[in-house]
Amino acid sequence: ASGFARELTRAVQALRKTAGLNKPDRIDLTVSVDSELENMLAPHLKEISEKVGADEIEFAVQKGVSKRTHKDSLKIRNKTLNFGFDAS
């Protein structure tokens, strides 16, 4: 489970860089995953939010991610993580 959290953190950091955000810039993050992966990520939300500068992390269906300005997806071990954020 912590491996998924690390990979999500890495991918969000890369997207923040692509979006031109600086370290102090805060984001609101939306993540779309299946319920199994959501349960695996849940214990790591505080750590993820600290590392990616998220004021808020919400789990939502894919439509919630597509409303965000910056978005990407990540595939790990046959699991797809879709995520997106807006500057907060």
Side-chain angles (χ1 to χ4, degrees):
S2 63
F4 286 106
R6 273 193 307 276
E7 287 300 316
L8 176 61
T9 299
R10 185 198 56 73
V12 173
Q13 301 277 41
L15 188 58
R16 281 178 57 98
K17 186 174 182 178
T18 302
L21 296 181
N22 295 310
K23 189 169 178 137
D25 296 332
R26 307 295 295 172
I27 63 170
D28 292 326
L29 178 65
T30 301
V31 180
S32 174
V33 293
D34 64 25
S35 58
E36 179 187 8
L37 198 46
E38 182 176 338
N39 291 333
M40 290 167 61
L41 287 172
H44 302 279
L45 290 183
K46 184 174 189 275
E47 176 187 346
I48 294 168
S49 72
E50 287 171 358
K51 289 185 176 177
V52 302
D55 288 329
E56 175 185 300
I57 298 178
E58 76 171 339
F59 288 103
V61 295
Q62 178 56 35
K63 196 163 81 174
V65 172
S66 58
K67 292 178 183 174
R68 296 295 192 178
T69 306
H70 308 283
K71 46 196 166 282
D72 202 353
S73 66
L74 177 64
K75 193 165 181 125
I76 311 168
R77 292 188 224 139
N78 298 324
K79 296 273 188 191
T80 302
L81 294 82
N82 294 295
F83 60 93
F85 63 79
D86 295 319
S88 55

